[in-house]
Amino acid sequence: MVQKITRFQKFVMHNPFIQFFMFLFLNLKILSVVAFGHGGTRDKK
């Protein structure tokens, strides 16, 4: 079934400022996970 996109979702998708802040927010989330340890394969000594 196809889900219709609401006016607000369309507005958010087409707004470059909101997209930029979403991009920054996602980058910060990814960087914080990588920086504060995410259970990698390297052994801790």
Side-chain angles (χ1 to χ4, degrees):
M1 230 159 69
V2 178
Q3 185 179 4
K4 242 186 146 178
I5 297 171
T6 63
R7 281 174 162 252
F8 180 71
Q9 285 174 326
K10 198 177 277 190
F11 167 74
V12 168
M13 282 195 299
H14 290 287
N15 191 329
F17 294 107
I18 294 175
Q19 288 298 314
F20 180 68
F21 284 115
M22 296 276 271
F23 175 73
L24 284 179
F25 180 68
L26 279 174
N27 275 337
L28 286 175
K29 276 174 63 172
I30 292 168
L31 284 174
S32 67
V33 166
V34 171
F36 298 123
H38 51 89
T41 56
R42 191 181 299 170
D43 291 333
K44 291 184 178 179
K45 293 182 180 177

